Structures are given as structure tokens and as C-alpha cells.
Amino acid sequence: MVTIRVGVNGFGTIGKRVADAVVRQPDLELVGVAKTRPSFDAHRAIDRGYPLYVAGAGAPEKFASFGLPVAGRLSELLARVDVMVDATPEDVGRENRKLYDAAGVRAVFQGGEEADVADASFNALANYETCRGKRTLRVVSCNTTGITRAAAVLLPRWGVAHWEVTLVRRAADPGESKRGPVDGILPTLDMPSHHGPDARTVLPELPITTTAVVVPTTLMHVHVNHVRLVRAPASSAELVAAFRSTPRFHLFAPWEGADGTPQVMEYARDRAGRAGGTTADMMENVLWERGIRVDGQDAYFFQAIHQESIVVPENIDAIRAMFDLADGPTSIATTDRALGLGRSPRAPLAKAPVPPAQRTAR
Ligand code: NAD
């Protein structure tokens, strides 16, 4: 089997998760990660055995002075990889592209970059096939990933005549302390918000209009969708079944008692614990069965998006598409199996509970 050598430049919220995902793939090898400054994240890389390289104007001696061994500079990492996943803050990727091009290395960029940073914008369910063999790809943002995945369910089955979505956006990631609001609701006054046009960088014909508000939460975004379909599904149950049978969708049934994002992320923490993981992530689009409704040609559904992790499997599939390692469904299945996505079977209890009939009275 071919093994693609991968580097990750920018080891923050997205980069560290992508690195963790790369090491779990059967056909990818993590050669190293690059950071500009020493920090607890740099320590995390060392702890996990990821060779650490210094990017930008960072000084290797500074890392060494804090007991963080460095494997070299970014230029040395570039000489050792086939592809670089750039997970640096927005607009830095565009500058970095010059370095990747000069080194003859392919690159995957993130949604904070403008679309023209790469040959194409990517979502695994929506346009994997058209991205095969590209030298550079841009994985669209968390919200656009959620929208284009949902479009990949709706378009082939019923067609989309018109789609209105309001995005209720989280104010900051849990690890951030400089963003807000901490109180209040901020409407995005530019209409449409940038998400609709961004979705069309993946699906050019998608008739979608997006509006957005920012609210004081860090857990997840929530999308409120109203889609006018071209052909009417037979029932709400048909739409539920379509989402349920698509990879990267996680539906909560009414009996599960997941009322909103707090319970979703509690589930994610429990699932990570069961699987022996350390990062509580929800890489799937999350829908509530009770919040999916069909009324003639109109479909309504809510979906929650875990901004810190939803793009991680897409970064892995983007690499497979670029190197033409597999078709879309095969890549998605390989990635999801490696990451333990979907409902993992319950771990057996260490000690079986005693049935009530056999309990001895005290
Ligand atoms: P982040 O700030 O958490 O991490 C970025 C990391 O890159 C930091 O560790 C920073 O120190 C490092 N860095 C800065 N300049 C660098 C340079 N020149 N070379 C190497 N490293 C450098 O940012 P993030 O949230 O992981 O975002 C990264 C990209 O992913 C952005 O394009 C963003 O829009 C996109 N994205 C973010 C989210 C999210 O919710 N966090 C979701 C989807 C996509």
C-alpha cells in the first residue's frame, strides 16, 4: 500500500486534531508538525511523539530552552513530506502557499483562507470526485462543511429549489479568551452572510441564502434550515432515514433526552472516554429526529456543528482525493473507521449488574 507522508503546519485547534487523525489512518504517515512558538500545545506534540519543527520567525533555541526538542525548521519538514496540511490562522495559509509551491509540496488549506488559495474547495460527501488529482485543496469552514454535507443528502434525492438557513454561531472556541460577546446577540448585518457564497465554491448551483447571528456559547453552532425541495419526500420519516443512512450524520432519537448542544457535547465526552480518546469531539452533523419535519415540498431541520472538529475527517479525505488513493465512499469509510465515528458499541461492563430477583435482602 502507498503511504503518503504528511506534515501539519499550525498546531492549534484544527491542526492538533488533524495530526491526531493522520496517525490513525492506514495509508498516511505523520512526519511532523510545525509551530512558531513554544506553548502547552508544543508540549502536547512532544508527548504524543510527533516530531516538532519550527515555523516562521520562531527560534529553535527558545523551544530547546523550555525542554522541547526540535526536529528542525519548516523547510526541513517540507523536504520530507508529500503534502502539508496548513492549519495556520486565516490569511497565513496564503503566504505559506509560496513556501509549499517552492518546495514542490501539495497542500490542504482551511476555510479561513479565501477560496482562490487552492485549486478547488472540498467537501467529501459533496464533491470528492471533482477534487481527485488536484495539487491543492481548501477544506471549507465548519459551517460550510455542515451545509454542503446536508446538501449532499438533499440534492440527489429530492433536488433543492430554495434553501434559507439562519446560522446561530458560537462566539468563541472553548480555549479562546479574547472573543465575544460574553453577553448579547450580534446579528451579522451583511446579508447574505458569507456562508451561502462559500457553499457555492463546492456546489456552484446551490440556491441557498444564509443569515447569521453570534451568541455567547462556545460549544457548537446550530443551523435553522428551511428547504423548499423540488420533489416532496413521502414523509418526515423518509427525510430522517436519509440523514440516518448517510455517514457523518448523527441523529438523536427523542427518547435519548438530548435537548440541545449541552447534551450533544456531554455525549461526545462520554464517547471519547469509551474509545480511550482524550479529545471530546463530534465530527458528524448532529440532528435531532424530532426537529426534522416535512410539509409538502418544504423541509425543516436543525443541525448542530462542532466547530473544533467537523473539518477533521474532511482534511483526511482531501489528502486521499489529491493523491487519488481511493474513491469517495471508500475514503470516507476508511477515515470514519479509523476515527471511530458513528455509534461505537458500548464497552462491556467490568462487573455485570445483579438482576433484582437475585439480590439478597439486607
Ligand atoms: P488556532 O489559532 O487555534 O491555531 C492556529 C495555530 O497556528 C496556532 O497554534 C498559532 O500559533 C499557529 N501559527 C500562527 N502563525 C503561524 C505560522 N506562520 N506558521 C505556523 N503556525 C502558525 O486556529 P484554528 O482555529 O485552528 O484555525 C486554523 C484554520 O482553520 C483557520 O483557517 C480557520 O478559519 C479554520 N477553521 C477553524 C475552525 C474553528 O472553529 N476553530 C473551524 C473550521 C476551520
Side-chain angles (χ1 to χ4, degrees):
M1 182 193 282
V2 184
T3 302
I4 301 298
R5 299 167 304 167
V6 183
V8 175
N9 190 16
F11 198 68
T13 306
I14 303 299
K16 65 185 174 187
R17 287 174 166 82
V18 171
D20 291 350
V22 167
V23 295
R24 289 172 169 265
Q25 307 304 316
D27 48 356
L28 307 183
E29 176 197 350
L30 182 71
V31 178
V33 301
K35 271 195 67 61
T36 45
R37 286 179 283 113
S39 66
F40 64 85
D41 273 336
H43 203 274
R44 179 185 193 275
I46 300 296
D47 275 353
R48 293 189 179 212
Y50 305 161
L52 181 62
Y53 291 78
V54 179
E61 317 78 66
K62 206 163 177 183
F63 284 76
S65 73
F66 294 116
L68 298 165
V70 163
R73 285 200 165 273
L74 177 64
S75 54
E76 293 164 84
L77 179 57
L78 281 168
R80 293 173 188 154
V81 299
D82 302 305
V83 59
M84 189 64 82
V85 176
D86 188 291
T88 58
E90 58 186 59
D91 298 330
V92 178
R94 178 174 293 279
E95 280 305 303
N96 286 342
R97 170 146 191 184
K98 296 171 193 159
L99 303 176
Y100 309 150
D101 285 348
V105 164
R106 296 183 188 220
V108 179
F109 297 95
Q110 308 305 313
E113 305 299 325
E114 297 292 326
D116 64 359
V117 75
D119 297 339
S121 290
F122 175 83
N123 176 262
L125 282 171
N127 73 340
Y128 186 102
E129 290 307 316
T130 61
C131 291
R132 285 174 91 158
K134 302 277 190 208
R135 285 198 62 79
T136 54
L137 287 176
R138 164 183 172 261
V139 171
V140 288
S141 74
C142 47
N143 281 309
T144 310
T145 294
I147 290 169
T148 49
R149 281 184 189 169
V153 174
L154 302 175
L155 279 170
R157 290 173 174 84
W158 302 290
V160 172
H162 184 64
W163 187 345
E164 302 260 0
V165 49
T166 297
L167 297 93
V168 182
R169 300 175 63 191
R170 63 89 179 96
D173 288 343
E176 289 179 311
S177 51
K178 293 189 177 140
R179 291 179 61 170
V182 292
D183 192 8
I185 298 173
L186 302 185
T188 303
L189 299 175
D190 292 327
M191 286 184 278
S193 70
H194 69 272
H195 308 91
D198 198 31
R200 280 193 287 275
T201 66
V202 176
L203 296 165
E205 308 297 328
L206 193 67
I208 188 167
T209 304
T210 52
T211 47
V213 293
V214 183
V215 299
T217 181
T218 63
L219 297 180
M220 302 181 93
H221 306 290
V222 170
H223 299 174
V224 187
N225 295 278
H226 170 204
V227 193
R228 169 75 40 93
L229 298 164
V230 176
R231 295 172 296 281
S235 62
S236 302
E238 192 180 327
L239 186 52
V240 168
F243 284 128
R244 257 203 193 285
S245 62
T246 305
R248 301 198 180 155
F249 281 81
H250 184 106
L251 272 66
F252 280 97
W255 62 265
E256 292 184 272
D259 298 329
T261 57
Q263 294 81 20
V264 173
M265 291 315 295
E266 183 70 3
Y267 172 88
R269 284 188 284 272
D270 288 348
R271 184 170 71 171
R274 279 209 304 275
T278 50
T279 312
D281 287 333
M282 205 68 213
M283 300 184 191
E284 303 96 331
N285 288 28
V286 175
L287 281 75
W288 293 268
E289 232 176 83
R290 200 151 66 85
I292 300 173
R293 195 163 75 83
V294 167
D295 183 3
Q297 281 171 241
D298 291 329
Y300 303 86
F301 64 95
F302 298 93
Q303 64 175 2
I305 304 298
H306 186 223
Q307 73 280 353
E308 295 174 281
S309 69
I310 188 173
V311 298
V312 171
E314 311 301 323
N315 272 272
I316 301 299
D317 295 327
I319 296 171
R320 286 208 190 89
M322 290 165 80
F323 290 91
D324 214 1
L325 297 182
D327 60 29
T330 305
S331 179
I332 289 170
T334 306
T335 304
D336 291 4
R337 199 165 40 248
L339 298 180
L341 298 193
R343 291 190 182 250
S344 50
R346 272 173 199 279
L349 291 171
K351 187 167 169 246
V354 180
Q358 293 172 23
R359 279 188 205 142
T360 46
R362 283 174 194 249

